[in-house]
Amino acid sequence: MDLLINGDNHTVDVAPDTPLLWVLRDNLNLTGTKFGCGIAACGACTAHLNGQAVRTCVLPVSAAQGQAITTIEGLAQGDELHAVQQAWIDEQVPQCGYCQSGMLMAAASLLAGNAAPTDADIDAAMTNICRCGTYQRVRAGIHRAAKVLQSRAPALPNTAAGGES
């Protein structure tokens, strides 16, 4: 089975119903994605499939074939951390850290679709479970990352009446 993970092609010999999580961890040694509950409830196993957050513990690897898979190992661009990774450091979000790779992937997916989430948006999107209870710091990290991403976005031309384009 051929997989595109973090921009690299990989071929694995596994049963099509093998959860993507185990292929990432056991076959490809991408251990940043964590096992938590095994029933898609906690989100520790969150990665991206075509930019959307997915729970890999219940996703058959066959469903990911031909799709762009991104794990926590592929979130940064070279030496530059993703805005949510830097915000997690700046806000000191992690406590024990076990769930944080899933949190980061969920947060990055949220911000890709909603550049300025409200607290309610964050609460609705971030269904990951943190046993340390870092939810307030997660929310602060997402708001910080949103501001950074907005500052990087190119300004749109002013096409309103009287404005210059």
Side-chain angles (χ1 to χ4, degrees):
M1 190 163 303
D2 296 322
L3 300 170
L4 177 61
I5 303 172
N6 300 330
D8 295 325
N9 291 308
H10 298 271
T11 300
V12 293
D13 184 18
V14 296
D17 62 346
T18 304
L20 178 59
L21 173 65
W22 299 125
V23 173
L24 295 171
R25 292 186 56 82
D26 294 348
N27 296 86
L28 301 172
N29 200 31
L30 294 169
T31 58
T33 306
K34 305 296 186 199
F35 174 76
C37 64
I39 57 172
C42 75
C45 66
T46 303
H48 292 173
L49 191 65
N50 296 326
Q52 298 296 310
V54 295
R55 305 282 167 98
T56 62
C57 69
V58 296
L59 183 70
V61 68
S62 60
Q65 188 170 13
Q67 313 293 316
I69 302 162
T70 306
T71 68
I72 190 69
E73 290 90 349
L75 191 58
Q77 297 297 312
D79 292 336
E80 184 177 347
L81 294 177
H82 187 282
V84 293
Q85 291 172 308
Q86 187 60 55
W88 254 232
I89 294 168
D90 295 342
E91 293 291 336
Q92 299 181 6
V93 173
Q95 191 163 323
C96 87
Y98 191 82
C99 68
Q100 295 303 310
S101 63
M103 289 275 193
L104 286 160
M105 297 307 286
S109 180
L110 167 64
L111 291 173
N114 183 349
T118 63
D119 286 348
D121 295 334
I122 292 169
D123 293 346
M126 298 298 295
T127 58
N128 300 49
I129 296 172
C130 173
R131 293 190 307 180
C132 301
T134 63
Y135 301 108
Q136 293 299 323
R137 295 193 312 232
V138 165
R139 191 186 286 167
I142 291 171
H143 284 302
R144 180 185 285 256
K147 287 178 185 171
V148 169
L149 291 171
Q150 290 169 2
S151 72
R152 293 179 186 166
L156 297 174
N158 182 1
T159 57
E164 296 179 26
S165 58

